[in-house]
Amino acid sequence: MADLSTTFTGIRFKNPFLLSSAPPTESESNILRAFEAGWGGVVTKTIGLHPVVNVLGPKTKFLRADADSPHLSMKKRAGAALHSSWNWELISDKALDWWVPRLGRIKQAYPEHMLVASIMAGSGNDTELKHWQTLALACENEGCDALELNLSCPHMDRQDMGSNLGKDKELVSIVTKVVKEGSKIPVWAKLTPSTTDIVVEARGAFLGGADAISSSNTFTSLPLFDADTLEFEVHVDGLVSTGGLGGPAILPLSLAKMSQLTQAFPDKSFSGIGGISTFAHALNYVLLGCGTVQVCTAAMLDHAIGPNVIRALNDGLRLFLEKNADKGWTRVDDFVGLRRDRVVPQSRIRRPDEKAYHGGHETAEGYAAPEES
């Protein structure tokens, strides 16, 4: 029989499908419902030491595309299909002292399900760095199975938090090291895609001792203007700030980031995030080298915690394993990274005239002369 379970960073998941740190995981009741629905793991909404206050009005909206025109809008209309999600929600508006007893109750109720605590603090001084340890220890003491460091939130004003921190390889390494020094459970670093070379920050995280990389968070973006009102489709008093784009639109973008990471660090562990709603989507990440995958937008649109989504993911994985049983595949680990080597530099893509390709150089720089070939 197909085995849906997987071991990732030393902990066993009933299946490789997790709810990512986002609105679906912002409360005890949602997390309990998610485990009941069958998710292999849940990453909590990011927990901070102090409470935050979110924007007035909608924090998450969904951008839709028409099937027969290039029209994009957040307005609901017949025949439109989901293009992406957009949010400018900050971390949990509940502070650590609110989360602590709830984390313990969740683990008591579902001890065999993996609970990953997403945490965030600053990094500008020693006091801020100690906040990371305070958060980590509190979550670990309540039974959390792993920690995910939020180094990637795309809408933080502070230069030492979120994606601002996540673009600095030295700070990424320092924060990871600080958390690892005081933790006994696995530590995952969640990186931002809004960087020049995500491999650089990943290297910093691994040097700091990260057990895995989660990639990637949403892409920094703005909502569209309404052509009739000339106002942003999401705004407060006519003003907007950058938010994060997620959902189907970012699937190919996130896969490109993941490919960079898994090729640079083929022996490391990765959790794939971005645009997943079906098993076929999740399979892309696994084939590129991910041991687990995380879902947000699809779950939000399915009774908030995705009961139908996780059922379809599990059924898809089961059918895939049964279909490929003749290959000896009985679990996810058997095909993780199987197609990672199919992503190659442009110079390796076959062309009608191989000798005419110079990679943008006037001469065949780096190529052997014809008589030496």
Side-chain angles (χ1 to χ4, degrees), residues 89-331:
E89 182 169 347
L90 301 178
I91 66 174
S92 175
D93 56 9
K94 305 294 194 301
L96 178 63
D97 57 358
W98 183 92
W99 275 98
V100 164
R102 289 163 175 81
L103 295 174
R105 289 199 296 263
I106 292 168
K107 281 304 297 182
Q108 288 177 1
Y110 287 92
E112 301 303 316
H113 289 69
M114 297 299 103
L115 182 63
V116 181
S118 173
I119 59 175
M120 178 197 277
S123 57
N125 52 54
D126 289 346
T127 299
E128 292 284 353
L129 291 172
K130 288 179 181 178
H131 289 167
W132 284 97
Q133 293 182 326
T134 300
L135 290 163
L137 183 60
C139 295
E140 183 176 330
N141 287 343
E142 293 302 318
C144 289
D145 301 283
L147 300 166
E148 186 176 81
L149 312 183
N150 187 335
L151 310 172
S152 52
C153 181
H155 27 267
M156 304 295 291
D157 285 344
R158 284 180 54 169
Q159 290 303 305
D160 67 332
M161 296 185 80
S163 61
N164 294 323
L165 186 166
K167 296 173 187 176
D168 186 320
K169 63 181 185 295
E170 284 84 9
L171 285 180
V172 166
S173 188
I174 290 170
V175 167
T176 307
K177 186 174 186 295
V178 164
V179 175
K180 281 293 294 183
E181 284 177 347
S183 303
K184 298 178 181 178
I185 57 178
V187 173
W188 309 353
K190 186 173 182 179
L191 300 182
T192 174
S194 301
T195 182
T196 303
D197 184 358
I198 197 169
V199 170
V200 173
E201 287 77 35
R203 183 173 290 109
F206 285 133
L207 287 173
D211 297 281
I213 297 293
S214 299
S215 178
S216 53
N217 209 316
T218 51
F219 286 72
T220 301
S221 57
L222 285 173
L224 301 179
F225 282 104
D226 183 313
D228 294 324
T229 65
L230 303 186
E231 296 284 358
F232 284 106
E233 289 194 313
V234 183
H235 65 87
V236 175
D237 303 325
L239 303 177
V240 73
S241 185
T242 55
L245 189 77
I250 73 166
L251 177 59
L253 300 171
S254 296
L255 288 174
K257 295 292 182 180
M258 185 52 67
S259 174
Q260 288 180 269
L261 292 168
T262 61
Q263 288 194 336
F265 308 102
D267 298 324
K268 299 295 187 179
S269 297
F270 297 91
S271 187
I273 310 171
I276 299 170
S277 58
T278 69
F279 174 71
H281 297 159
L283 180 60
N284 283 272
Y285 285 98
V286 177
L287 291 174
L288 287 175
C290 293
T292 60
V293 297
Q294 301 184 31
V295 179
C296 174
T297 298
M300 292 178 70
L301 292 170
D302 178 24
H303 302 283
I305 48 88
N308 296 305
V309 173
I310 183 57
R311 188 179 305 116
L313 288 169
N314 280 329
D315 288 346
L317 174 56
R318 189 177 292 108
L319 289 172
F320 182 82
L321 289 171
E322 291 172 357
K323 180 181 177 181
N324 291 280
D326 59 328
K327 298 183 178 71
W329 298 351
T330 60
R331 55 193 310 169

Side-chain angles (χ1 to χ4, degrees), residues 26-47:
E26 66 185 359
S27 67
E28 178 182 4
S29 59
N30 268 13
I31 295 173
L32 291 173
R33 290 170 57 220
F35 281 146
E36 185 177 352
W39 290 95
V42 165
V43 186
T44 69
K45 180 75 173 164
T46 299
I47 303 168

Side-chain angles (χ1 to χ4, degrees), residues 23-87:
T25 64
E26 66 185 359
S27 67
E28 178 182 4
S29 59
N30 268 13
I31 295 173
L32 291 173
R33 290 170 57 220
F35 281 146
E36 185 177 352
W39 290 95
V42 165
V43 186
T44 69
K45 180 75 173 164
T46 299
I47 303 168
L49 201 59
H50 309 293
V52 301
V53 178
N54 271 293
V55 298
L56 183 68
K59 297 181 287 293
T60 301
K61 297 282 283 185
F62 301 96
L63 191 63
R64 294 173 172 85
D66 289 349
D68 55 357
S69 79
H71 181 55
L72 288 175
S73 175
M74 291 178 177
K75 294 178 181 177
K76 291 184 178 181
R77 55 203 185 277
L82 178 67
H83 173 277
S84 55
S85 62
W86 186 88
N87 87 87

